Amino acid sequence: MVKLKKQFAALLAQPLNGELSIQEIETLVEIPRHPSQGDIAFPCFALSKIRKQAPQTIAAKLASDLRSSLFEKIEAQGPYVNGFFNREELSKQALVNILNEGNSYGSATVGNGESITIDLSSPNIAKPFSMGHLRSTVIGNAIGNIAEKCGYQPIRINHIGDWGTQFGKLIAAYKHWGDEQTVISNPIKELLSLYVRFHKEAETQPELENEARRWFKKLEEKDEEATALWKWFREESLKEFSKIYSLLDIEFDTFHGEAFYNDKMEKTVELLVERGLLTESDGAEVVRLDEHDLPPCLIKKSDGATLYATRDLTAALYRQNMYHFTKSLYIVGHEQSLHFQQIFLVLQKLGCPWAKEMVHVPFGFILKDGKKMSTRKGKIVLLEEVIQEAITLAKQNIEARNPELSDKEEVAKQIGVGAVIFHDLKNERLNNIEFSLEDMLKFEGETGLYVQYTHARACSILRKAKNVNGLEKGLNDDYSWQLIKTLMSFPEVIQKSFNRYEPSQIAKYLMDVAQEFNMFYSHVKVLQDDNRLESRVSLIKAVTIVLKEGLRLLGIKAPQQM
């Protein structure tokens, strides 16, 4: 539709004689909500101010002046100039285009092969992978897929939380109440139990907090016992995480976590000193950001311990040196907005021009009973359990509907995982999502299953029409035309989704395609043997291409049979 908007704007520009630029006209062009108002429209309110005439008068004059083979008719409706496209010709062009491009349909070259680093997922070691980590993981992965579709080279970075004072707490807890064999038999569950117990005991024994700080200091000083425990906790956690990522079918380019930057932070501190940016505040070392009305960015605590800011500054410098990124995205909850604002400003003060292309992509929480899930209080829902339950329900659904289906296990996995991912990505990322296993696993309504089932239904029609090929004519009935117009907007939706870092744009679009297809299928006899059979089959092929590719961008598989 972008191309058609441009063509309509160019057509309008001729009689307007420079009163509005083509860019201004293009911005004003609209897509009407109702088919009776045409396929494309131009409101004349802006011209009314320029000409000092009623917009209805201007619309009537413009409509009479416009002629183009692109349109069946152009007419004035009140203050609007409404264009009705030549369905026969445009539908044929659109279908040929989609079929020729195949899975490449919707691709763009705006990225010019440049690198985008994407910091996503980043769970903390020694803690289970909870539903709370799902959002960063699936939003970040989808943005990576969409960026690649737009011509960028995404570099997915899993900045594992493998350092910090929480490990002092965990080591202290293990030394007090831990048992080696219990941890070996069920590492993540036991480590979580120890972490939760530490916080509970510390409420009545505040000296535990000091003990935890001492253990973390030992860890920073490479104490043998502290380091061995930390490595053990880390290895066990990564084994557990790999199971989740395998289920979600998500891969990373690097797992460099916080600890990776331990031997690199001193250079960052030296750089800040060289530039005269580091000042002392109550014994701590900070970079002041008074000119931005922001609190200072803490670089070192009064006891010399480093902070998240020190690591994130070091990581950004390392990534630019390693990947020469054009953009750098951080898929992290909105509660970290101030932190990233400070990091980006400190890098700008350091004289890094690329810092202006660093973006915090925030998202809302997954809530349980209206509250944020908290690991330290033990209030979490394990992601692996949710995915496995979704897969089990999908198996039951297959057994009830299609027990003869081959490859049932794989299809059930694709459905179950798709249900979990789609339930997240159909929501705008800044919105909070109330966790509900029941809603997530519904097999009707706005769900991943509905889109997957629509794709499978379309594939089934194609199997029945296997000997039908060619595309001689376009399609001009209302249901075909509405579906084709929706398919034509796929490239625009992808671009908008990338520009806003908003995968929900694609999820909502796929729902529209699925609904339009099912409306078409219920009103049109697709396999009727007449002179437009090939065209209708071509339309079905185009639908499968767009649904499969759209789901892929979200990180979801599209089964051909269900």
Side-chain angles (χ1 to χ4, degrees), residues 197-380:
R197 183 171 179 181
F198 177 90
H199 284 279
K200 192 174 180 182
E201 299 280 354
E203 288 174 8
T204 54
Q205 300 177 61
E207 64 274 12
L208 282 171
E209 295 283 359
N210 292 327
E211 190 180 330
R213 278 190 279 273
R214 285 196 297 275
W215 271 112
F216 181 56
K217 198 78 170 72
K218 283 185 176 185
L219 192 56
E220 290 210 304
E221 292 165 353
K222 296 183 173 61
D223 172 82
E224 193 174 324
E225 183 184 12
T227 301
L229 285 170
W230 171 80
K231 281 183 177 175
W232 179 38
F233 298 159
R234 188 179 192 276
E235 285 164 11
E236 293 297 336
S237 297
L238 287 177
K239 283 180 200 170
E240 291 298 305
F241 295 160
S242 68
K243 292 180 192 173
I244 304 292
Y245 294 131
S246 177
L247 269 175
L248 292 171
D249 197 23
I250 293 175
E251 295 180 353
F252 297 90
D253 295 287
T254 168
F255 278 86
H256 287 331
E258 294 176 42
F260 177 77
Y261 300 100
N262 281 348
D263 61 353
K264 300 170 180 62
M265 286 186 290
E266 204 49 52
K267 281 187 180 177
T268 305
V269 176
E270 287 170 10
L271 193 58
L272 291 167
V273 172
E274 277 174 31
R275 302 289 164 87
L277 295 175
L278 216 54
T279 57
E280 192 177 309
S281 175
D282 297 327
E285 293 183 74
V286 305
V287 175
R288 302 197 71 86
L289 297 169
D290 300 1
E291 69 274 30
H292 299 284
D293 294 322
L294 291 175
C297 183
L298 289 165
I299 303 299
K300 273 191 175 182
K301 292 184 189 175
S302 53
D303 64 1
T306 54
L307 290 109
Y308 284 122
T310 329
R311 281 168 208 289
D312 279 343
L313 288 168
T314 306
L317 292 163
Y318 174 86
R319 290 170 188 175
Q320 175 57 216
N321 186 52
M322 175 65 68
Y323 304 114
H324 310 291
F325 59 76
T326 296
K327 293 178 185 290
S328 185
L329 311 181
Y330 292 80
I331 321 298
V332 183
H334 58 65
E335 72 276 20
Q336 294 296 322
S337 292
L338 173 62
H339 168 76
F340 286 110
Q341 215 179 340
Q342 291 175 313
I343 296 301
F344 302 160
L345 287 169
V346 170
L347 287 166
Q348 287 178 37
K349 290 183 85 159
L350 271 172
C352 305
W354 42 266
K356 290 186 177 176
E357 295 301 325
M358 299 178 76
V359 182
H360 173 214
V361 180
F363 53 84
F365 299 125
I366 290 186
L367 306 175
K368 192 169 190 305
D369 303 322
K371 296 177 182 175
K372 184 188 174 189
M373 295 179 188
S374 168
T375 308
R376 67 177 59 185
K377 292 178 182 174
K379 292 182 179 178
I380 59 170

Side-chain angles (χ1 to χ4, degrees), residues 4 12 54 94 115 124 192 201 206 238-239 253 269 312 350 389 408 419 440 453 457 501 507 521 542:
L4 293 173
L12 284 160
S115 297
N124 293 321
L192 173 64
E201 299 280 354
L238 287 177
K239 283 180 200 170
D253 295 287
V269 176
D312 279 343
L350 271 172
E389 185 154 354
K408 281 189 277 195
M440 187 177 291
Y453 180 71
R457 173 184 261 185
Y501 306 123
Y521 184 67

Side-chain angles (χ1 to χ4, degrees), residues 387-428:
I387 293 173
Q388 293 296 358
E389 185 154 354
I391 293 170
T392 300
L393 277 171
K395 281 181 193 169
Q396 292 170 5
N397 191 270
I398 290 169
E399 289 295 347
R401 288 169 175 256
N402 191 4
E404 303 303 313
L405 179 68
S406 60
D407 212 10
K408 281 189 277 195
E409 295 288 323
E410 182 58 28
V411 173
K413 179 186 167 187
Q414 291 176 0
I415 293 171
V417 171
V420 174
I421 295 175
F422 196 88
H423 181 267
D424 187 299
L425 296 184
K426 73 178 182 182
N427 294 282
E428 291 186 16

Side-chain angles (χ1 to χ4, degrees), residues 125-128 170 174 183 186-196 232-234 236-237:
I125 68 166
K127 294 180 189 176
L170 192 56
Y174 178 76
V183 172
N186 201 338
I188 296 298
K189 185 178 179 183
E190 181 59 20
L191 292 172
L192 173 64
S193 174
L194 289 170
Y195 186 74
V196 171
W232 179 38
F233 298 159
R234 188 179 192 276
E236 293 297 336
S237 297

